Amino acid sequence: MSSQRISQAMERIDAALARIETQAALARHADPSRDRPPAELVERHEALREIVDASLAELDSLIERLEG
């Protein structure tokens, strides 16, 4: 590899590192409230959790009856 190609590769690597460092700095200073899920999703998640819990309880009951 010629010294010019090595130099160009090093420049591309340096540019990529600079972009990574910029994004890392932006992430450190990002608004933490953006990471929170919207209230609607939290409510839907809780509703689905309740449905799954009820379904699992029903399955447990059915299994107990079949075994008994």
Side-chain angles (χ1 to χ4, degrees), residues 1 3-7 11 16 19 22 28 30 32 36 39 41 44-46 52 54-55 57 62 66 68:
M1 189 179 248
S3 63
Q4 182 181 8
R5 289 183 67 193
I6 292 172
S7 178
E11 287 174 10
R19 289 192 303 273
T22 298
R28 282 192 299 271
R36 282 187 249 141
L41 288 179
R44 288 176 58 198
H45 175 77
E46 288 303 316
V52 168
S55 296
L62 290 171
L66 286 173

Side-chain angles (χ1 to χ4, degrees), residues 20-30:
I20 291 168
E21 289 171 352
T22 298
Q23 291 304 313
L26 289 172
R28 282 192 299 271
H29 295 96

Side-chain angles (χ1 to χ4, degrees), residues 1-65:
M1 189 179 248
S2 72
S3 63
Q4 182 181 8
R5 289 183 67 193
I6 292 172
S7 178
Q8 289 172 342
M10 293 297 290
E11 287 174 10
R12 287 194 305 271
I13 290 169
D14 286 339
L17 286 173
R19 289 192 303 273
I20 291 168
E21 289 171 352
T22 298
Q23 291 304 313
L26 289 172
R28 282 192 299 271
H29 295 96
D31 180 8
S33 67
R34 282 185 11 187
D35 295 336
R36 282 187 249 141
E40 179 186 338
L41 288 179
V42 172
E43 290 174 15
R44 288 176 58 198
H45 175 77
E46 288 303 316
L48 287 172
R49 179 181 292 239
E50 290 174 12
I51 291 169
V52 168
D53 286 343
S55 296
L56 289 174
E58 185 178 349
L59 284 172
D60 286 341
S61 175
L62 290 171
I63 291 169
E64 285 178 16
R65 280 191 264 160

